Amino acid sequence: MFDPQPTNPTARRLTCLFDYKWQTIERPESGGDWKTNKYPMRPRSLWTRWQDAATIIGVRFGTQTRYAMVDIDIGSDYHNADGLRTIQDALEMIGLVRSVLVRSSWSGGWHLYFPLPELVSSFSLACSLKHTLEAQGIAVKAGQCELFPNIKPYGKPWEVTEYNGHRLPLQPGSGSCLLDHNQNPTAGDLERFFWQWDFASKAQDMELLGPALEQGRELQRKRKRERPGKVGQWLADLRVELETGWTGAGQTNALLRAIATHGRVFEGLADDELAIYIEQMAYSRPGYHEHCNHQPQIPKKSKAWARWATRFYWPMGTPPKREVSTVSINDERRHDARQRIQWAVSQLAKAGQLKDTVSHRLAQLCQLAKTSAQTLYKNLDLWHPDQWCVIPQPEPVSPTKEACKETTSDPPKPLPDGPLHTLPPLLRCRPVTPLPKNLHPRGGEGVLGGERGFPQAEGRY
Protein backbone atom coordinates (compact mmCIF):
# COMPACT_ATOMS: atom_id res chain seq x y z
CA MET A 1 0.00 0.00 0.00
CA PHE A 2 1.53 3.30 -1.14
CA ASP A 3 0.89 6.73 0.33
CA PRO A 4 -0.76 9.27 -2.00
CA GLN A 5 1.79 11.47 -3.78
CA PRO A 6 1.63 15.18 -4.66
CA THR A 7 0.40 15.99 -8.13
CA ASN A 8 3.39 18.21 -8.98
CA PRO A 9 6.13 16.10 -10.72
CA THR A 10 8.94 17.99 -8.96
CA ALA A 11 7.17 17.51 -5.64
CA ARG A 12 6.85 13.78 -6.32
CA ARG A 13 10.56 13.64 -7.11
CA LEU A 14 11.38 15.31 -3.77
CA THR A 15 9.13 13.06 -1.69
CA CYS A 16 10.30 9.90 -3.48
CA LEU A 17 13.96 10.78 -2.95
CA PHE A 18 13.58 11.70 0.73
CA ASP A 19 10.98 9.02 1.41
CA TYR A 20 11.74 7.94 5.00
CA LYS A 21 8.70 9.28 6.84
CA TRP A 22 9.53 8.32 10.43
CA GLN A 23 11.04 10.58 13.10
CA THR A 24 11.26 13.66 10.87
CA ILE A 25 12.68 16.81 12.45
CA GLU A 26 11.60 20.44 12.28
CA ARG A 27 12.14 23.81 13.90
CA PRO A 28 10.97 27.42 13.31
CA GLU A 29 12.90 29.31 10.67
CA SER A 30 13.48 32.08 13.19
CA GLY A 31 15.59 29.75 15.32
CA GLY A 32 15.24 27.42 18.26
CA ASP A 33 15.82 23.74 18.96
CA TRP A 34 15.02 20.92 16.59
CA LYS A 35 12.15 18.69 17.65
CA THR A 36 11.27 15.20 16.44
CA ASN A 37 7.84 14.39 15.09
CA LYS A 38 6.39 11.28 16.69
CA TYR A 39 3.96 10.66 13.86
CA PRO A 40 4.90 9.66 10.26
CA MET A 41 5.30 12.42 7.70
CA ARG A 42 3.27 11.45 4.62
CA PRO A 43 4.47 12.60 1.16
CA ARG A 44 1.84 15.29 0.71
CA SER A 45 2.43 16.61 4.24
CA LEU A 46 6.18 16.67 3.57
CA TRP A 47 5.69 18.73 0.43
CA THR A 48 3.41 21.13 2.26
CA ARG A 49 5.94 21.57 5.06
CA TRP A 50 8.77 22.07 2.55
CA GLN A 51 6.87 24.98 0.97
CA ASP A 52 6.26 26.62 4.37
CA ALA A 53 8.98 29.26 4.79
CA ALA A 54 8.24 29.58 8.52
CA THR A 55 9.25 25.98 9.34
CA ILE A 56 12.48 24.15 8.51
CA ILE A 57 11.85 20.46 7.85
CA GLY A 58 14.37 17.58 7.94
CA VAL A 59 14.41 13.83 7.31
CA ARG A 60 16.33 10.72 8.36
CA PHE A 61 17.46 7.55 6.60
CA GLY A 62 15.88 4.13 6.32
CA THR A 63 17.74 0.83 5.98
CA GLN A 64 18.59 1.73 2.36
CA THR A 65 19.43 5.01 0.68
CA ARG A 66 20.12 6.55 -2.74
CA TYR A 67 22.50 9.24 -1.52
CA ALA A 68 25.08 10.32 1.03
CA MET A 69 25.64 13.82 2.34
CA VAL A 70 28.57 15.58 4.04
CA ASP A 71 27.77 18.57 6.29
CA ILE A 72 30.55 21.19 6.49
CA ASP A 73 29.81 24.01 8.91
CA ILE A 74 30.89 27.60 8.34
CA GLY A 75 33.58 27.38 11.06
CA SER A 76 34.99 24.07 9.87
CA ASP A 77 38.61 23.61 8.83
CA TYR A 78 37.25 22.23 5.55
CA HIS A 79 35.00 25.19 4.71
CA ASN A 80 37.30 26.37 1.93
CA ALA A 81 38.28 25.28 -1.56
CA ASP A 82 41.21 23.15 -0.39
CA GLY A 83 39.25 21.45 2.35
CA LEU A 84 36.37 20.70 0.02
CA ARG A 85 38.74 19.23 -2.55
CA THR A 86 40.36 17.07 0.14
CA ILE A 87 37.00 15.51 1.03
CA GLN A 88 36.03 15.03 -2.61
CA ASP A 89 39.37 13.41 -3.48
CA ALA A 90 39.09 11.04 -0.52
CA LEU A 91 35.59 9.85 -1.45
CA GLU A 92 36.54 9.52 -5.10
CA MET A 93 38.76 6.62 -4.01
CA ILE A 94 35.67 4.55 -3.20
CA GLY A 95 33.75 5.44 -6.35
CA LEU A 96 31.94 8.66 -5.35
CA VAL A 97 33.29 10.80 -8.17
CA ARG A 98 30.52 13.40 -8.60
CA SER A 99 28.68 15.57 -6.09
CA VAL A 100 26.15 18.36 -5.77
CA LEU A 101 27.15 21.31 -3.56
CA VAL A 102 24.43 23.24 -1.75
CA ARG A 103 24.51 26.06 0.76
CA SER A 104 22.57 24.65 3.69
CA SER A 105 21.19 27.88 5.21
CA TRP A 106 21.76 31.58 5.75
CA SER A 107 24.68 30.68 8.06
CA GLY A 108 26.76 29.71 5.01
CA GLY A 109 27.43 26.04 5.78
CA TRP A 110 27.73 23.52 2.96
CA HIS A 111 25.88 20.29 2.20
CA LEU A 112 27.79 18.08 -0.23
CA TYR A 113 25.45 15.48 -1.75
CA PHE A 114 26.63 12.27 -3.41
CA PRO A 115 23.70 10.82 -5.41
CA LEU A 116 23.67 7.09 -6.23
CA PRO A 117 22.07 5.32 -9.20
CA GLU A 118 20.71 2.51 -7.02
CA LEU A 119 19.75 1.71 -3.45
CA VAL A 120 22.55 0.66 -1.06
CA SER A 121 22.70 -0.25 2.60
CA SER A 122 22.62 2.90 4.72
CA PHE A 123 24.78 1.38 7.44
CA SER A 124 27.40 0.02 5.02
CA LEU A 125 27.57 3.40 3.30
CA ALA A 126 27.99 5.15 6.66
CA CYS A 127 30.87 2.81 7.59
CA SER A 128 32.62 3.31 4.24
CA LEU A 129 32.31 7.10 4.39
CA LYS A 130 33.66 7.35 7.92
CA HIS A 131 36.62 5.00 7.57
CA THR A 132 37.60 6.39 4.16
CA LEU A 133 37.71 9.99 5.40
CA GLU A 134 39.45 9.10 8.66
CA ALA A 135 42.09 7.17 6.71
CA GLN A 136 42.93 10.44 4.94
CA GLY A 137 43.25 12.31 8.25
CA ILE A 138 39.91 14.12 7.98
CA ALA A 139 38.22 14.83 11.32
CA VAL A 140 34.78 13.23 11.13
CA LYS A 141 32.77 14.99 13.82
CA ALA A 142 30.06 17.57 14.29
CA GLY A 143 31.18 21.08 13.44
CA GLN A 144 33.94 19.88 11.13
CA CYS A 145 32.82 17.11 8.80
CA GLU A 146 29.55 15.41 9.75
CA LEU A 147 28.29 12.45 7.73
CA PHE A 148 24.78 11.43 6.70
CA PRO A 149 23.99 8.61 7.11
CA ASN A 150 26.01 8.23 10.28
CA ILE A 151 27.08 5.01 12.01
CA LYS A 152 24.16 4.71 14.37
CA PRO A 153 24.52 2.74 17.64
CA TYR A 154 22.95 -0.65 18.10
CA GLY A 155 19.76 -0.61 20.14
CA LYS A 156 18.26 -3.20 22.42
CA PRO A 157 16.09 -5.88 20.79
CA TRP A 158 12.91 -3.99 21.64
CA GLU A 159 14.27 -0.57 20.67
CA VAL A 160 14.60 1.12 17.28
CA THR A 161 17.53 3.47 16.79
CA GLU A 162 17.44 6.08 14.05
CA TYR A 163 20.06 7.72 11.88
CA ASN A 164 20.71 11.41 12.36
CA GLY A 165 18.40 13.79 10.51
CA HIS A 166 19.31 16.64 8.17
CA ARG A 167 17.36 19.54 6.67
CA LEU A 168 15.96 19.30 3.15
CA PRO A 169 17.70 21.26 0.38
CA LEU A 170 16.53 24.51 -1.25
CA GLN A 171 13.58 25.08 1.09
CA PRO A 172 12.05 28.55 0.50
CA GLY A 173 13.11 31.16 3.02
CA SER A 174 15.81 28.94 4.55
CA GLY A 175 18.80 30.47 2.76
CA SER A 176 19.58 27.19 1.00
CA CYS A 177 20.75 27.47 -2.61
CA LEU A 178 22.94 25.82 -5.22
CA LEU A 179 26.65 26.69 -5.37
CA ASP A 180 28.87 26.72 -8.44
CA HIS A 181 32.36 25.23 -8.81
CA ASN A 182 33.81 28.31 -7.07
CA GLN A 183 31.46 27.84 -4.08
CA ASN A 184 29.45 30.93 -5.03
CA PRO A 185 25.62 31.04 -4.92
CA THR A 186 24.00 30.42 -8.26
CA ALA A 187 20.42 30.58 -9.53
CA GLY A 188 18.47 27.36 -9.56
CA ASP A 189 15.37 25.70 -8.19
CA LEU A 190 14.48 22.07 -7.49
CA GLU A 191 14.44 21.26 -11.20
CA ARG A 192 18.02 22.47 -11.56
CA PHE A 193 18.95 20.60 -8.39
CA PHE A 194 17.54 17.32 -9.76
CA TRP A 195 19.25 17.89 -13.12
CA GLN A 196 22.62 18.05 -11.33
CA TRP A 197 21.55 15.12 -9.17
CA ASP A 198 20.88 12.86 -12.18
CA PHE A 199 24.16 13.86 -13.83
CA ALA A 200 26.14 13.05 -10.69
CA SER A 201 24.40 9.74 -9.97
CA LYS A 202 25.14 8.39 -13.45
CA ALA A 203 28.84 9.23 -13.05
CA GLN A 204 29.39 7.27 -9.81
CA ASP A 205 31.66 4.22 -10.07
CA MET A 206 29.55 1.47 -8.53
CA GLU A 207 32.18 -1.16 -9.32
CA LEU A 208 34.43 0.58 -6.80
CA LEU A 209 31.69 1.46 -4.34
CA GLY A 210 30.29 -2.08 -4.05
CA PRO A 211 33.48 -3.66 -2.56
CA ALA A 212 34.06 -0.49 -0.51
CA LEU A 213 30.69 -0.94 1.20
CA GLU A 214 31.59 -4.50 2.21
CA GLN A 215 35.05 -3.48 3.38
CA GLY A 216 33.69 -0.54 5.38
CA ARG A 217 31.19 -2.70 7.22
CA GLU A 218 33.77 -5.40 7.92
CA LEU A 219 36.22 -2.82 9.23
CA GLN A 220 33.55 -1.42 11.54
CA ARG A 221 32.80 -4.94 12.78
CA LYS A 222 36.47 -5.52 13.58
CA ARG A 223 36.84 -2.19 15.34
CA LYS A 224 33.79 -2.94 17.43
CA ARG A 225 35.35 -6.22 18.56
CA GLU A 226 38.67 -4.51 19.27
CA ARG A 227 37.05 -1.75 21.30
CA PRO A 228 38.75 -1.68 24.71
CA GLY A 229 36.73 -3.27 27.50
CA LYS A 230 37.06 -2.94 31.24
CA VAL A 231 40.79 -3.75 31.27
CA GLY A 232 41.50 -1.25 28.51
CA GLN A 233 39.53 1.41 30.31
CA TRP A 234 41.36 0.59 33.55
CA LEU A 235 44.72 1.03 31.81
CA ALA A 236 43.57 4.28 30.22
CA ASP A 237 42.44 5.64 33.59
CA LEU A 238 45.76 4.73 35.21
CA ARG A 239 47.68 6.43 32.42
CA VAL A 240 45.67 9.59 32.92
CA GLU A 241 46.58 9.54 36.62
CA LEU A 242 50.26 9.00 35.87
CA GLU A 243 50.45 11.62 33.13
CA THR A 244 48.59 14.26 35.16
CA GLY A 245 50.56 13.79 38.38
CA TRP A 246 50.09 16.17 41.30
CA THR A 247 47.71 19.09 40.88
CA GLY A 248 47.31 19.95 44.55
CA ALA A 249 47.96 18.86 48.12
CA GLY A 250 46.63 15.61 49.60
CA GLN A 251 47.11 13.47 46.46
CA THR A 252 50.24 11.51 47.35
CA ASN A 253 48.69 8.23 48.47
CA ALA A 254 46.22 8.16 45.58
CA LEU A 255 48.98 8.67 43.03
CA LEU A 256 51.30 6.13 44.64
CA ARG A 257 48.47 3.62 44.60
CA ALA A 258 47.89 4.23 40.87
CA ILE A 259 51.62 3.88 40.12
CA ALA A 260 51.81 0.68 42.16
CA THR A 261 48.80 -0.81 40.41
CA HIS A 262 50.17 0.07 36.98
CA GLY A 263 53.60 -1.32 37.76
CA ARG A 264 52.22 -4.55 39.18
CA VAL A 265 49.48 -5.34 36.67
CA PHE A 266 50.79 -3.89 33.41
CA GLU A 267 54.56 -3.94 33.98
CA GLY A 268 54.75 -7.28 35.84
CA LEU A 269 56.87 -5.94 38.72
CA ALA A 270 56.85 -7.11 42.33
CA ASP A 271 58.41 -6.41 45.73
CA ASP A 272 61.69 -4.47 45.58
CA GLU A 273 61.55 -3.90 41.83
CA LEU A 274 58.04 -2.52 42.19
CA ALA A 275 59.09 -0.27 45.09
CA ILE A 276 61.91 1.22 43.00
CA TYR A 277 59.50 1.70 40.09
CA ILE A 278 57.00 3.52 42.31
CA GLU A 279 59.66 5.78 43.80
CA GLN A 280 61.22 6.72 40.46
CA MET A 281 57.84 7.31 38.82
CA ALA A 282 56.75 9.52 41.70
CA TYR A 283 59.85 11.70 41.38
CA SER A 284 59.22 12.22 37.66
CA ARG A 285 55.49 12.99 37.81
CA PRO A 286 54.31 16.55 37.02
CA GLY A 287 53.68 18.71 40.06
CA TYR A 288 55.79 16.57 42.43
CA HIS A 289 58.05 19.39 43.61
CA GLU A 290 55.24 21.93 43.79
CA HIS A 291 52.45 19.96 45.47
CA CYS A 292 53.81 16.80 47.14
CA ASN A 293 54.06 17.46 50.90
CA HIS A 294 55.47 14.00 51.69
CA GLN A 295 58.70 14.07 49.70
CA PRO A 296 60.91 12.72 52.56
CA GLN A 297 58.51 9.78 53.06
CA ILE A 298 58.32 8.74 49.38
CA PRO A 299 60.84 5.84 49.69
CA LYS A 300 59.03 4.41 52.73
CA LYS A 301 55.61 4.88 51.21
CA SER A 302 56.78 3.30 47.95
CA LYS A 303 57.82 0.13 49.78
CA ALA A 304 54.49 -0.04 51.61
CA TRP A 305 52.47 0.36 48.41
CA ALA A 306 54.71 -2.17 46.64
CA ARG A 307 53.94 -4.76 49.34
CA TRP A 308 50.24 -4.01 49.04
CA ALA A 309 50.16 -4.26 45.23
CA THR A 310 52.23 -7.45 45.22
CA ARG A 311 49.79 -9.07 47.63
CA PHE A 312 46.52 -8.05 46.00
CA TYR A 313 47.30 -7.86 42.25
CA TRP A 314 49.04 -10.01 39.67
CA PRO A 315 50.53 -9.30 36.21
CA MET A 316 48.10 -9.14 33.33
CA GLY A 317 47.81 -12.44 31.49
CA THR A 318 48.88 -14.63 34.42
CA PRO A 319 46.65 -16.76 36.67
CA PRO A 320 45.31 -15.00 39.77
CA LYS A 321 47.71 -15.33 42.71
CA ARG A 322 45.56 -13.75 45.41
CA GLU A 323 43.23 -15.48 47.80
CA VAL A 324 39.96 -13.75 48.63
CA SER A 325 40.73 -11.30 51.41
CA THR A 326 39.49 -8.00 52.73
CA VAL A 327 42.77 -6.92 54.32
CA SER A 328 43.80 -3.42 53.29
CA ILE A 329 47.12 -1.63 53.46
CA ASN A 330 45.94 0.16 56.60
CA ASP A 331 45.31 -3.21 58.26
CA GLU A 332 48.79 -4.30 57.28
CA ARG A 333 50.33 -1.15 58.74
CA ARG A 334 48.33 -1.54 61.93
CA HIS A 335 49.46 -5.14 62.34
CA ASP A 336 53.08 -4.18 61.66
CA ALA A 337 52.94 -1.39 64.28
CA ARG A 338 51.51 -3.72 66.93
CA GLN A 339 54.28 -6.24 66.26
CA ARG A 340 56.95 -3.58 66.71
CA ILE A 341 55.36 -2.32 69.93
CA GLN A 342 55.11 -5.87 71.34
CA TRP A 343 58.72 -6.57 70.48
CA ALA A 344 59.96 -3.29 72.03
CA VAL A 345 58.01 -3.87 75.26
CA SER A 346 59.35 -7.42 75.54
CA GLN A 347 62.95 -6.29 75.00
CA LEU A 348 62.69 -3.56 77.63
CA ALA A 349 60.96 -5.87 80.10
CA LYS A 350 63.61 -8.58 79.70
CA ALA A 351 66.37 -6.05 80.25
CA GLY A 352 64.57 -4.60 83.29
CA GLN A 353 64.58 -1.15 81.68
CA LEU A 354 60.84 -0.68 81.18
CA LYS A 355 59.82 2.53 82.95
CA ASP A 356 56.85 2.64 85.28
CA THR A 357 55.47 6.07 84.39
CA VAL A 358 53.43 6.61 81.28
CA SER A 359 55.48 9.54 79.94
CA HIS A 360 58.84 7.78 80.31
CA ARG A 361 57.52 4.51 78.87
CA LEU A 362 56.00 6.43 75.97
CA ALA A 363 59.34 8.05 75.19
CA GLN A 364 61.11 4.69 75.32
CA LEU A 365 58.73 2.99 72.94
CA CYS A 366 58.63 5.86 70.47
CA GLN A 367 62.39 5.50 70.05
CA LEU A 368 62.74 1.73 70.16
CA ALA A 369 59.59 0.73 68.25
CA LYS A 370 60.05 3.58 65.76
CA THR A 371 56.46 4.68 66.00
CA SER A 372 54.53 7.78 66.99
CA ALA A 373 52.80 8.62 70.24
CA GLN A 374 49.49 8.66 68.39
CA THR A 375 49.99 5.05 67.30
CA LEU A 376 50.97 4.03 70.83
CA TYR A 377 47.81 5.56 72.29
CA LYS A 378 45.78 3.54 69.76
CA ASN A 379 47.35 0.37 71.21
CA LEU A 380 47.25 1.02 74.96
CA ASP A 381 46.67 -2.67 75.71
CA LEU A 382 50.22 -3.47 74.61
CA TRP A 383 52.21 -1.10 76.86
CA HIS A 384 50.17 1.16 79.21
CA PRO A 385 50.89 0.41 82.94
CA ASP A 386 47.16 0.26 83.75
CA GLN A 387 46.36 -2.20 80.93
CA TRP A 388 49.55 -4.26 80.58
CA CYS A 389 51.47 -6.60 82.85
CA VAL A 390 54.76 -8.45 82.42
CA ILE A 391 54.38 -12.21 82.27
CA PRO A 392 57.20 -13.59 84.41
CA GLN A 393 59.51 -15.95 82.59
CA PRO A 394 60.23 -19.32 84.30
CA GLU A 395 63.71 -19.81 85.70
CA PRO A 396 66.00 -22.08 83.72
CA VAL A 397 65.56 -25.74 84.69
CA SER A 398 66.54 -28.97 83.13
CA PRO A 399 64.60 -29.30 79.93
CA THR A 400 61.65 -31.60 80.19
CA LYS A 401 58.72 -32.19 77.92
CA GLU A 402 56.35 -30.50 80.35
CA ALA A 403 58.64 -27.49 80.76
CA CYS A 404 58.93 -27.14 77.02
CA LYS A 405 55.16 -27.07 76.74
CA GLU A 406 54.77 -24.36 79.37
CA THR A 407 57.51 -21.99 78.27
CA THR A 408 56.42 -19.13 76.09
CA SER A 409 57.81 -18.57 72.62
CA ASP A 410 60.48 -15.98 71.93
CA PRO A 411 59.29 -12.46 71.33
CA PRO A 412 59.01 -11.35 67.68
CA LYS A 413 62.27 -10.35 66.09
CA PRO A 414 62.72 -6.94 64.49
CA LEU A 415 62.11 -6.61 60.77
CA PRO A 416 65.31 -7.18 58.78
CA ASP A 417 66.93 -4.28 57.04
CA GLY A 418 67.75 -6.29 53.90
CA PRO A 419 65.53 -7.10 50.93
CA LEU A 420 62.44 -9.26 51.29
CA HIS A 421 61.09 -12.05 49.09
CA THR A 422 57.44 -13.05 48.75
CA LEU A 423 56.76 -16.79 49.13
CA PRO A 424 53.64 -18.14 47.41
CA PRO A 425 50.95 -19.13 48.11
CA LEU A 426 50.78 -17.40 51.53
CA LEU A 427 52.24 -14.17 50.10
CA ARG A 428 54.23 -13.48 53.25
CA CYS A 429 57.60 -11.76 53.21
CA ARG A 430 60.72 -13.61 54.29
CA PRO A 431 64.34 -12.33 54.40
CA VAL A 432 66.39 -13.07 51.31
CA THR A 433 69.08 -15.67 52.06
CA PRO A 434 71.97 -16.46 49.73
CA LEU A 435 71.94 -19.85 48.05
CA PRO A 436 75.06 -21.95 47.69
CA LYS A 437 76.67 -21.46 44.33
CA ASN A 438 76.08 -25.07 43.33
CA LEU A 439 72.32 -24.79 43.99
CA HIS A 440 71.65 -21.58 42.04
CA PRO A 441 69.73 -22.33 38.83
CA ARG A 442 72.28 -20.41 36.77
CA GLY A 443 75.34 -21.67 38.54
CA GLY A 444 76.17 -18.42 40.32
CA GLU A 445 75.39 -16.84 43.64
CA GLY A 446 71.66 -16.27 44.08
CA VAL A 447 68.89 -15.66 46.54
CA LEU A 448 66.04 -17.71 47.83
CA GLY A 449 63.27 -17.90 45.26
CA GLY A 450 65.35 -16.92 42.23
CA GLU A 451 63.91 -14.40 39.82
CA ARG A 452 60.33 -13.14 39.71
CA GLY A 453 57.88 -15.95 39.13
CA PHE A 454 55.61 -13.91 36.90
CA PRO A 455 56.09 -13.38 33.17
CA GLN A 456 56.32 -9.89 31.82
CA ALA A 457 52.91 -8.47 30.94
CA GLU A 458 52.21 -7.48 27.38
CA GLY A 459 51.28 -3.96 26.42
CA ARG A 460 54.24 -1.97 27.71
CA TYR A 461 54.26 1.63 26.62
Side-chain angles (χ1 to χ4, degrees), residues 194-449:
F194 287 131
W195 180 85
Q196 294 187 11
W197 187 280
D198 293 336
F199 177 80
S201 65
K202 293 177 182 178
Q204 310 297 11
D205 190 344
M206 298 304 292
E207 292 185 1
L208 278 178
L209 183 61
L213 297 178
E214 297 179 2
Q215 294 170 3
R217 187 156 189 157
E218 180 63 23
L219 182 58
Q220 179 65 20
R221 187 181 297 111
K222 289 181 179 179
R223 289 195 179 183
K224 185 176 184 297
R225 288 199 300 264
E226 295 171 359
R227 193 171 299 165
K230 294 182 179 179
V231 174
Q233 186 60 52
W234 187 22
L235 175 59
D237 293 342
L238 290 175
R239 285 177 174 175
V240 170
E241 291 289 333
L242 269 60
E243 292 171 0
T244 305
W246 277 266
T247 58
Q251 301 175 355
T252 299
N253 281 329
L255 285 171
L256 293 182
R257 179 190 180 111
I259 297 172
T261 303
H262 182 272
R264 178 63 176 148
V265 177
F266 298 102
E267 296 293 335
L269 304 176
D271 302 318
D272 291 340
E273 288 183 339
L274 181 56
I276 295 173
Y277 173 82
I278 297 170
E279 184 177 351
Q280 292 178 346
M281 285 289 288
Y283 293 152
S284 63
R285 293 308 87 199
Y288 170 77
H289 298 286
E290 294 82 2
H291 301 295
C292 180
N293 297 325
H294 300 275
Q295 296 181 20
Q297 292 83 35
I298 289 298
K300 181 179 179 181
K301 286 180 175 289
S302 298
K303 292 180 180 179
W305 282 110
R307 289 196 303 269
W308 170 82
T310 301
R311 172 178 293 183
F312 294 106
Y313 288 111
W314 53 92
M316 181 61 61
T318 63
K321 302 294 182 181
R322 167 169 63 103
E323 297 179 357
V324 178
S325 174
T326 58
V327 180
S328 66
I329 190 172
N330 290 330
D331 297 327
E332 182 180 349
R333 290 173 174 173
R334 191 178 302 110
H335 177 70
D336 179 63
R338 288 181 66 85
Q339 281 190 326
R340 286 186 279 112
I341 295 171
Q342 287 177 327
W343 171 80
V345 171
S346 299
Q347 293 294 319
L348 292 172
K350 281 184 178 181
Q353 299 176 357
L354 190 63
K355 302 294 184 180
D356 295 330
T357 61
V358 173
S359 59
H360 289 89
R361 187 175 295 187
L362 188 69
Q364 283 182 310
L365 295 178
C366 284
Q367 182 177 4
L368 186 58
K370 299 185 183 302
T371 187
S372 64
Q374 182 180 7
T375 302
L376 287 169
Y377 274 110
K378 291 180 180 179
N379 299 275
L380 292 174
D381 59 304
L382 300 180
W383 65 274
H384 198 278
D386 296 336
Q387 302 186 34
W388 176 90
C389 62
V390 179
I391 301 176
Q393 300 292 331
E395 296 181 359
V397 294
S398 58
T400 62
K401 292 183 179 180
E402 297 298 328
C404 292
K405 291 181 181 180
E406 295 178 357
T407 56
T408 59
S409 60
D410 294 335
K413 297 180 180 180
L415 293 176
D417 294 331
L420 301 176
H421 178 75
T422 301
L423 297 178
L426 300 179
L427 296 180
R428 294 177 179 172
C429 292
R430 293 288 184 266
V432 174
T433 56
L435 285 175
K437 181 178 295 186
N438 60 343
L439 294 182
H440 192 266
R442 297 184 180 177
E445 295 183 356
V447 295
L448 180 61

Side-chain angles (χ1 to χ4, degrees), residues 47-116:
W47 174 244
T48 302
R49 293 294 185 89
W50 182 87
Q51 297 178 88
D52 183 6
T55 303
I56 306 299
I57 189 73
V59 295
R60 302 180 188 270
F61 293 81
T63 57
Q64 292 184 313
T65 180
R66 288 185 181 272
Y67 71 96
M69 191 266 285
V70 180
D71 182 13
I72 306 172
D73 287 349
I74 184 65
S76 169
D77 296 335
Y78 309 101
H79 195 276
N80 51 69
D82 292 337
L84 181 63
R85 174 52 58 185
T86 300
I87 294 175
Q88 291 173 326
D89 290 344
L91 294 181
E92 188 173 345
M93 298 173 62
I94 61 172
L96 301 177
V97 299
R98 291 291 184 272
S99 58
V100 179
L101 184 60
V102 173
R103 188 177 71 183
S104 60
S105 66
W106 295 115
S107 65
W110 294 342
H111 281 180
L112 185 64
Y113 287 92
F114 290 89
L116 301 174

